[in-house]
Amino acid sequence: MVRKMGVFAVLGYVLYGLFFYWYLFYFAEPKLPFEYQGTKADPATFLNGRELSLSEEYSKIKNLLFFLSTPFEWVLYFLILLFGFSRVFKRWAASSAKYKIVQTAIYLFWLSLFAFMATFPLNYISYSFSKTYHISTQSFPSWMKDELIDFWIHFGTWLIIVPVLYWLMKKSNKRWWLYGWLLSVPFTIFMMFVQPVLIDPLYNDFYPLKNKELEAKILTLAHKAQIPAEHVFEVNMAEKTNAMNAYVTGIGGNARIVLWDTTLNKLSDNQILFIMAHEICHYVEKHIYWGMGGYLLLSLLGLYLIYRIMNWAVDRWGKELKINDVGDIQSLPLFFMILSILLFTASPFTNLASRYQETRADRYAIEMTKNPNAAITSFQELTRSGLSQVNPPLLVKIFRYTHPPMLDRIAKLEEYEIQQRNKEQ
């Protein structure tokens, strides 16, 4: 039975992968709707033939790797349970330490290390393709350093969460999900607060914007929006990527508006001011807080579903999965597998909410700057630098896109430009 379940899991993953390969490379050939052809949203008007070809090739590969990577985790955790690796990790932990808390830490380390090594090839392939298509400029040692930072941050975070969660399972096998969620609220707020000052600097150097003339223009926009900002932060990303980005991060006194130096190097001041106005909208409309509130509500539902699904799975397949009790640390791979499935399932809804916020931010930015040409050309340059698809396939948009596709964003800006021109006539 165990072998059969393992074969079905691997076969299901292979069929899933073949479906998305067919969907991305053969079925979902992106064709620009007729009404957009020749407009400023048409990539043929701002990308040359080679750039068009490269963007399609690169996008297909990156999308395929995305759809392969997450379900790979599900299969991995399932096989870890099915073939007794979780039991082995627990045995190693028990033989290495006397105290329960230390055993849990050792178990979590072995599980995290096994998952890291198993997923490393897909991560490296993704990095390698980014280098091949000149998106990434990062050296392998630098990339490996970031991967190891990721590993230790995730390990450290789960080292706080897992012992508490499994202690709650022992104390209340029917309400642990609720108590766990209540404890997660202050923890989530704390992590959001320290992210800009403790975690982000582990990957890159952050400093106030060097171009003081540009900073003054940005702060003028911020003051118009009644934001008490003193600095705009710049981060050195040119040594890692050719792509561009800007974002808002953190909450309270640690909230920051951040610009990648690649954005500063490739865009004009007017284009950057539009990008900054977009980010200012996220701050003004408190999108970070709305996002955090939505995340906490989803996490409440998610923990409840994990509680129900774990109990059902252990009752039905506990023997095959080598799990005697949900509260046993051996069930942790099952917890991770269900969590990953739920996050993937929820992504169309969270992405939809994010795209709505990004649409509002675009509208706010153009109303504030009233420079549609700078806005349109900035989006065109963002598309070029990241080799992004202007009009992605439907499933890609649903599961991957936290921002509206550039086709929609540029088309709306062009409509605004036409409206403004008509008003002036």
Side-chain angles (χ1 to χ4, degrees):
M1 181 63 177
V2 170
R3 183 177 297 177
K4 187 181 292 186
M5 291 173 73
V7 169
F8 282 145
V10 173
L11 181 60
Y13 178 71
V14 170
L15 292 174
Y16 164 90
L18 288 173
F19 166 77
F20 272 102
Y21 178 81
W22 166 80
Y23 176 78
L24 294 170
F25 284 84
Y26 295 99
F27 178 77
E29 287 296 330
K31 291 183 179 179
L32 198 70
F34 175 78
E35 61 269 24
Y36 294 105
Q37 293 178 13
T39 67
K40 294 180 181 179
D42 184 349
T45 63
F46 60 89
L47 298 179
N48 61 40
R50 177 169 171 74
E51 288 170 337
L52 280 170
S53 176
L54 288 175
S55 67
E56 289 303 322
E57 290 176 12
Y58 179 70
S59 296
K60 287 177 181 177
I61 293 168
K62 291 292 285 187
N63 290 334
L64 179 62
L65 288 171
F66 166 80
F67 283 111
L68 290 178
S69 60
T70 302
F72 180 79
E73 292 181 13
W74 311 343
V75 176
L76 173 65
Y77 288 127
F78 184 67
L79 295 180
I80 285 173
L81 290 168
L82 208 59
F83 292 106
F85 289 107
S86 185
R87 179 179 291 174
V88 172
F89 298 153
K90 183 184 176 183
R91 191 183 307 133
W92 289 350
S95 64
S96 302
K98 178 181 178 181
Y99 297 104
K100 194 74 173 177
I101 184 69
V102 181
Q103 292 177 5
T104 300
I106 294 171
Y107 171 89
L108 182 61
F109 174 78
W110 283 115
L111 178 62
S112 301
L113 182 63
F114 190 91
F116 176 82
M117 296 301 293
T119 56
F120 182 83
L122 274 176
N123 293 334
Y124 177 75
I125 290 169
S126 180
Y127 159 73
S128 180
F129 273 112
S130 294
K131 288 278 285 187
T132 300
Y133 284 85
H134 304 291
I135 303 299
S136 174
T137 59
Q138 193 172 17
S139 66
F140 177 78
S142 173
W143 175 79
M144 195 67 223
K145 177 187 172 184
D146 285 351
E147 289 291 297
L148 291 174
I149 291 172
D150 278 345
F151 172 83
W152 287 111
I153 288 175
H154 290 150
F155 174 74
T157 303
W158 284 113
L159 190 56
I160 297 170
I161 295 170
V162 168
V164 174
L165 209 56
Y166 274 79
W167 179 78
L168 290 172
M169 288 180 184
K170 293 289 187 183
K171 293 294 181 180
S172 177
N173 60 2
K174 290 186 178 181
R175 293 287 183 269
W176 64 264
W177 57 274
L178 179 59
Y179 302 140
W181 178 79
L182 290 171
L183 289 174
S184 77
V185 174
F187 181 74
T188 300
I189 295 171
F190 173 76
M191 291 300 292
M192 288 288 291
F193 184 77
V194 302
Q195 174 90 24
V197 294
L198 291 183
I199 298 175
D200 291 346
L202 295 174
Y203 296 90
N204 298 98
D205 296 324
F206 291 78
Y207 34 80
L209 190 60
K210 296 174 184 176
N211 186 336
K212 295 305 175 184
E213 184 179 345
L214 177 60
E215 184 179 45
K217 294 178 182 177
I218 294 171
L219 290 177
T220 299
L221 285 180
H223 294 153
K224 282 183 181 178
Q226 299 181 336
I227 298 174
E230 296 181 3
H231 295 290
V232 176
F233 287 87
E234 178 182 344
V235 56
N236 61 328
M237 289 297 296
E239 63 187 27
K240 293 185 177 182
T241 182
N242 283 316
M244 297 185 290
N245 196 16
Y247 59 91
V248 178
T249 185
I251 58 173
N254 282 353
R256 287 181 174 183
I257 299 175
V258 180
L259 268 168
W260 286 9
D261 59 352
T262 50
T263 306
L264 293 165
N265 296 337
K266 294 180 180 181
L267 297 184
S268 68
D269 283 7
N270 285 335
Q271 291 171 326
I272 291 171
L273 287 174
F274 170 77
I275 298 294
M276 285 290 91
H278 173 102
E279 300 306 326
I280 285 170
C281 176
H282 290 311
Y283 188 100
V284 169
E285 298 196 354
K286 304 186 186 310
H287 289 167
I288 291 178
Y289 294 96
W290 281 105
M292 186 167 60
Y295 165 79
L296 289 172
L297 286 175
L298 283 175
S299 65
L300 175 61
L301 175 61
L303 280 171
Y304 175 71
L305 290 175
I306 289 172
Y307 154 72
R308 295 303 296 263
I309 296 170
M310 282 186 75
N311 281 318
W312 171 77
V314 171
D315 287 343
R316 184 162 183 178
W317 292 301
K319 183 178 179 181
E320 289 80 4
L321 297 177
K322 318 293 190 297
I323 303 173
N324 297 322
D325 177 49
V326 169
D328 190 326
I329 192 66
Q330 282 182 217
S331 70
L332 186 58
L334 180 62
F335 178 92
F336 284 157
M337 182 179 74
I338 298 169
L339 175 63
S340 181
I341 291 171
L342 291 177
L343 287 172
F344 187 77
T345 305
S347 61
F349 305 100
T350 57
N351 289 345
L352 181 64
S354 177
R355 289 197 297 270
Y356 170 75
Q357 291 182 342
E358 296 298 334
T359 299
R360 288 190 60 86
D362 284 350
R363 189 182 303 121
Y364 179 96
I366 195 60
E367 290 291 345
M368 176 176 268
T369 60
K370 299 190 183 301
N371 192 338
N373 182 63
I376 290 169
T377 53
S378 67
F379 282 162
Q380 290 174 339
E381 190 57 40
L382 282 166
T383 302
R384 179 183 291 107
S385 67
L387 292 180
S388 306
Q389 280 182 307
V390 169
N391 187 31
L394 179 61
L395 290 180
V396 174
K397 177 183 175 180
I398 290 173
F399 282 96
R400 289 209 67 188
Y401 274 53
T402 56
H403 292 61
M406 284 300 183
L407 180 69
D408 298 339
R409 301 179 82 178
I410 295 175
K412 282 184 169 59
L413 290 171
E414 194 168 14
E415 287 177 11
Y416 176 88
E417 184 178 37
I418 293 169
Q419 289 170 2
Q420 290 299 105
R421 195 182 302 133
N422 290 337
K423 287 180 182 178
E424 294 170 1
Q425 291 177 351

